[in-house]
């Protein structure tokens, strides 16, 4: 994957974890459209995904790797592969984790099974932060680290209840990334972190009744990420770049 454009200028690189389909894939495609190199991860290395189709059309600017964020044993070998791949050029400009699952949305938290709780919390909160902690040294000190959160992770805005386990998992993700941002600022004061609240989107998770399409959402979300490059500190932002209350 080339590190410079035809004009001789350095080509930035994004690692998008969870880019096989849906919103993660659409964001990866949008970065490619804007001239970036993209490393995208898939959970099943043996399955054909839309990311593979993107890679075939991208003239060598898309590389596919394997990661299941629920499997911490996948992270050390992924780090080693990425370190070798990046050795001949600069570090990553962006690390973005797109991971999410849910359970029955109307089950009160007191009735959620332990297995469902562990699955949702691991996928939505623990897994993403494990990935960020394991791979953050590959990101430029002035780069950006982000994760896909949700407006439903806002404690302030929770006035309707419902989706209690999902809401709690995204609130946990927000808190974990906030703690990470505080810790890493001591070593990388110029690095930014961002939590994205994309809105209700017609994905497998969002369902067919969601008001926003993947195609219209991806450019807006990439706009928000690019607006945060070079800006230190943590922000919790919606699809229009507006601050979401914690």
């Amino acid at each position: 994957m080339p590190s410079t454009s035809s004009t001789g200028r350095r080509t930035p690189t994004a690692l998008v974890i969870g880019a096989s389909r849906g919103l993660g894939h659409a964001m990866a495609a949008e970065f490619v459209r804007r001239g970036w190199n993209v490393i995208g991860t898939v959970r099943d290395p043996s399955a054909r995904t839309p990311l593979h189709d993107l890679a075939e059309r991208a003239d060598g600017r898309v590389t596919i790797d394997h990661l299941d964020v629920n499997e911490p044993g996948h992270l050390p070998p992924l780090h080693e592969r990425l370190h070798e791949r990046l050795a001949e050029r600069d570090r990553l400009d962006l690390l973005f984790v797109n991971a999410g699952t849910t359970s029955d949305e109307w089950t009160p938290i007191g009735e959620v099974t332990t297995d469902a709780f562990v699955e949702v919390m691991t996928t939505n909160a623990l897994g993403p932060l494990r990935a960020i902690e394991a791979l953050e040294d590959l990101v430029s000190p002035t780069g950006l680290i982000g994760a896909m959160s949700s407006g439903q992770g806002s404690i302030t805005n929770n006035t309707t209840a419902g989706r209690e386990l999902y809401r709690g998992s995204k609130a946990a993700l927000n808190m974990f990334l906030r703690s990470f941002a505080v810790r890493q600022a001591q070593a990388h004061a110029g690095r930014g972190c961002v939590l994205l609240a994309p809105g209700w989107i017609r994905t497998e998770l969002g369902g067919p009744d969601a008001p926003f399409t993947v195609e219209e959402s991806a450019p807006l979300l990439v706009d928000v990420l690019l607006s945060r490059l070079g800006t230190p500190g943590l922000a919790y932002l919606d699809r229009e770049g507006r601050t979401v209350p914690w």
Side-chain angles (χ1 to χ4, degrees):
M1 190 161 58
S3 59
T4 57
S5 69
S6 59
T7 62
R9 292 191 295 179
R10 177 183 172 277
T11 304
T13 300
L15 169 60
V16 181
I17 293 175
S20 61
R21 56 187 170 82
L23 192 53
H25 165 259
M27 291 175 67
E30 183 65 18
F31 275 111
V32 170
R33 190 184 71 80
R34 300 189 190 202
W36 282 53
N37 292 324
V38 173
I39 304 169
T41 71
V42 300
R43 292 181 64 185
D44 183 355
S46 65
R48 178 82 182 188
T49 74
L51 185 63
H52 292 81
D53 298 331
L54 176 64
E56 289 184 353
R57 302 191 304 267
D59 297 324
R61 290 193 290 116
V62 173
T63 303
I64 300 174
D65 216 312
H66 167 230
L67 175 67
D68 183 339
V69 296
N70 290 349
E71 297 292 341
H74 289 181
L75 287 166
L78 174 62
H79 183 282
E80 183 176 351
R81 292 192 299 270
L82 292 174
H83 184 267
E84 293 176 354
R85 194 174 299 149
L86 295 164
E88 295 183 0
R89 59 176 181 268
D90 296 327
R91 296 183 188 180
L92 296 168
D93 298 275
L94 171 68
L95 163 59
F96 188 77
V97 183
N98 175 52
T101 190
T102 190
S103 61
D104 182 78
E105 61 182 293
W106 297 115
T107 302
I109 193 64
E111 298 177 15
V112 170
T113 67
T114 300
D115 286 346
F117 182 87
V118 170
E119 178 185 2
V120 173
M121 292 294 287
T122 300
T123 301
N124 292 2
L126 179 58
L129 264 295
R130 277 177 171 160
I132 287 170
E133 297 269 13
L135 304 173
E136 64 91 13
D137 67 302
L138 300 176
V139 181
S140 165
T142 58
L144 183 67
I145 294 174
M148 191 70 80
S149 183
S150 169
Q152 295 192 9
S154 168
I155 294 174
T156 300
N157 285 348
N158 184 5
T159 60
T160 61
R163 306 193 78 182
E164 293 178 21
L165 177 53
Y166 180 80
R167 288 179 184 273
S169 70
K170 291 299 186 177
L173 169 69
N174 294 353
M175 179 61 78
F176 295 158
L177 193 63
R178 187 160 190 168
S179 295
F180 169 81
V182 171
R183 284 188 281 110
Q184 67 100 44
Q186 300 172 16
H188 302 296
R191 182 184 284 169
C193 293
V194 64
L195 290 152
L196 280 185
W200 189 12
I201 300 175
R202 269 173 254 155
T203 61
E204 184 176 331
L205 182 65
D209 297 327
F212 303 122
T213 68
V214 168
E215 292 75 18
E216 69 183 317
S217 300
L220 296 175
L221 296 171
V222 170
D223 281 344
V224 174
L225 291 175
L226 295 182
S227 75
R228 296 296 300 177
L229 278 172
T231 303
L234 173 64
Y236 180 21
L237 304 173
D238 70 10
R239 62 195 279 120
E240 303 292 342
R242 298 171 297 202
T243 297
V244 181
W246 296 98

